[in-house]
Amino acid sequence: MKTTMKTLLVGATISLTLAGQAWAQKKVIIGNFGDPAPYEAAAADGRFEKATGWTIEWRKFGSGAEVNAAMASGAVVISELGSVPLAAGASQGVDYQLFLIGKAIGASESLITRNGSGIEKPADLKGKKIAVPVGSTAHFSLMGALKNWGISEKDVQVIGMSPPEINAAWSQNAVDAAFIWEPVQSKLRANGKLMTTAGDVGKAGYPTFNGWVVNTKFAAENRAAMIGFIKVMNDVNASYTKNKAQWNADSAPVKAIAARLGTTPKEIVADLDGATYPDGEEQITAEWLGGGAAKFMKLTADFLKSAGRINASADSYAKFVNADMAKAAAAK
């Protein structure tokens, strides 16, 4: 068979194209919020890429609403997502599944009152300006706290702001209080005091968490890599939880997280302590992927519907939870 230069060039072009497509298929964009968590240490040293075979681009989002839009459009296939926007997105039909619990939110999200605002007790919030990222876990915690205190949303001025906007407004004395997460929370506390935490509100009936969601089709087509991703997350969560004292300001993982997030190791140590991070065995218990997460989503969706934040809630959210991969990752 005669081989011409044109044939060789065409063949080379096809080979390069296929190689490019193969590389593109391995590149995975993963969304996150850039708040302190143990997994950031694993992201810093490439453990997720080694376990999955993916070339990972970590893309930071400012809110759960942005994540829902990106997941709905296909711009990202895996992302960190708070339980409130998760319930909202599932209610609106976003095609994703919760496959992992990132953290149970405690003191890492809190209501801070500004010094000089005249707020000493919950009743003092009436008539005050409270900033919060709308549609976030912090927003849900604020709504739950107000309800528990017998304060109507009409009695306060809830102002929707992003974390950077809250920080700027605080420095200008433009708001009286804010329900917000780290690292902004710590900055506000320099001129404010803690009133309640998301953990407190959760114990009173309005729990919040950050989870990880994946596009349903992508999960089915990349099961082995997804299990590898989960194993890394479980391992680093267990490392932190079981050896918390070793995750100090002088430790390599804390320094790595601080470098990634642009803050100090000392701040990271305090921030990490504001949440709990389920390991592999905890993930699949009845409290979380074994049923609890779907119940939390239903509770959250019903609350959002009653508050006029979404139009309707589903009878069950079980189909939006995929525990199979977590079970495989936790298997001995």
Side-chain angles (χ1 to χ4, degrees), residues 206-281:
Y206 301 93
T208 53
F209 64 88
N210 272 16
W212 289 89
V213 295
V214 61
N215 173 271
T216 304
K217 182 179 179 181
F218 182 89
E221 294 176 348
N222 296 272
R223 178 179 172 80
M226 289 295 301
I227 292 172
F229 181 91
I230 294 170
K231 285 183 176 179
V232 172
M233 192 74 73
N234 289 342
D235 287 346
V236 74
N237 282 350
S239 173
Y240 173 76
T241 302
K242 296 177 181 178
N243 307 286
K244 189 178 292 189
Q246 296 178 22
W247 284 58
N248 54 50
D250 295 321
S251 67
V254 169
K255 288 181 177 180
I257 296 173
R260 277 179 66 84
L261 304 186
T263 185
T264 67
K266 183 178 180 180
E267 289 179 322
I268 293 298
V269 171
D271 294 345
L272 289 175
D273 196 42
T276 56
Y277 311 89
D279 61 18
E281 293 183 355

Side-chain angles (χ1 to χ4, degrees), residues 158-173:
V158 177
I159 304 174
M161 291 184 175
S162 67
E165 290 171 338
I166 290 175
N167 190 38
W170 197 267
S171 64
Q172 298 168 6
N173 297 334

Side-chain angles (χ1 to χ4, degrees), residues 119 122-130 146-147 149-158 176:
I119 303 173
D124 296 332
L125 291 168
K126 292 182 179 180
K128 301 297 185 179
K129 297 177 180 177
I130 307 176
L146 292 175
K147 186 171 183 178
W149 291 329
I151 300 174
S152 169
E153 280 194 82
K154 296 179 180 179
D155 293 331
V156 297
Q157 298 181 56
V158 177
D176 303 301

Side-chain angles (χ1 to χ4, degrees), residues 2-318:
K2 185 177 181 181
T3 301
T4 65
M5 181 61 70
K6 181 177 180 180
T7 302
L8 290 172
L9 288 173
V10 170
T13 300
I14 292 173
S15 296
L16 288 172
T17 300
L18 291 175
Q21 289 176 346
W23 178 86
Q25 289 170 353
K26 287 186 178 181
K27 181 176 180 180
V28 178
I29 301 174
I30 301 179
N32 69 350
F33 296 122
D35 53 342
Y39 80 85
E40 289 283 4
D45 62 22
R47 269 178 277 175
F48 286 108
E49 294 188 320
K50 183 177 180 180
T52 61
W54 299 333
T55 297
I56 298 174
E57 176 188 333
W58 296 91
R59 183 170 298 178
K60 183 178 176 180
F61 289 94
S63 70
E66 292 179 6
V67 171
N68 278 334
M71 291 293 295
S73 70
V76 298
V77 290
I78 300 172
S79 185
E80 183 179 22
L81 187 60
S83 53
V84 175
L86 168 62
S91 299
Q92 295 161 358
V94 179
D95 185 19
Y96 54 38
Q97 296 175 321
L98 173 71
F99 69 92
L100 197 66
I101 303 298
K103 64 181 180 182
I105 301 173
S108 59
E109 293 187 9
S110 302
L111 178 62
I112 310 299
T113 60
R114 183 176 52 80
N115 293 340
S117 64
I119 303 173
E120 300 296 334
K121 57 185 183 299
D124 296 332
L125 291 168
K126 292 182 179 180
K128 301 297 185 179
K129 297 177 180 177
I130 307 176
V132 67
V134 173
S136 65
T137 48
H139 189 192
F140 177 75
S141 293
L142 172 61
M143 293 166 68
L146 292 175
K147 186 171 183 178
N148 286 333
W149 291 329
I151 300 174
S152 169
E153 280 194 82
K154 296 179 180 179
D155 293 331
V156 297
Q157 298 181 56
V158 177
I159 304 174
M161 291 184 175
S162 67
E165 290 171 338
I166 290 175
N167 190 38
W170 197 267
S171 64
Q172 298 168 6
N173 297 334
V175 295
D176 303 301
F179 213 123
I180 191 60
W181 50 79
E182 299 290 0
V184 172
Q185 180 193 144
S186 293
K187 296 177 182 178
L188 303 193
R189 293 189 69 171
N191 183 36
K193 54 182 176 290
L194 174 72
M195 174 160 280
T196 192
T197 71
D200 296 331
V201 180
K203 292 176 183 178
Y206 301 93
T208 53
F209 64 88
N210 272 16
W212 289 89
V213 295
V214 61
N215 173 271
T216 304
K217 182 179 179 181
F218 182 89
E221 294 176 348
N222 296 272
R223 178 179 172 80
M226 289 295 301
I227 292 172
F229 181 91
I230 294 170
K231 285 183 176 179
V232 172
M233 192 74 73
N234 289 342
D235 287 346
V236 74
N237 282 350
S239 173
Y240 173 76
T241 302
K242 296 177 181 178
N243 307 286
K244 189 178 292 189
Q246 296 178 22
W247 284 58
N248 54 50
D250 295 321
S251 67
V254 169
K255 288 181 177 180
I257 296 173
R260 277 179 66 84
L261 304 186
T263 185
T264 67
K266 183 178 180 180
E267 289 179 322
I268 293 298
V269 171
D271 294 345
L272 289 175
D273 196 42
T276 56
Y277 311 89
D279 61 18
E281 293 183 355
E282 291 177 279
Q283 292 282 347
I284 56 178
T285 61
E287 180 180 4
W288 293 117
L289 298 179
K295 292 179 181 178
F296 290 154
M297 290 172 66
K298 171 62 175 173
L299 169 70
T300 304
D302 288 345
F303 189 86
L304 293 175
K305 181 178 180 296
S306 68
R309 302 294 177 183
I310 59 176
N311 294 326
S313 62
D315 292 333
S316 170
Y317 286 81

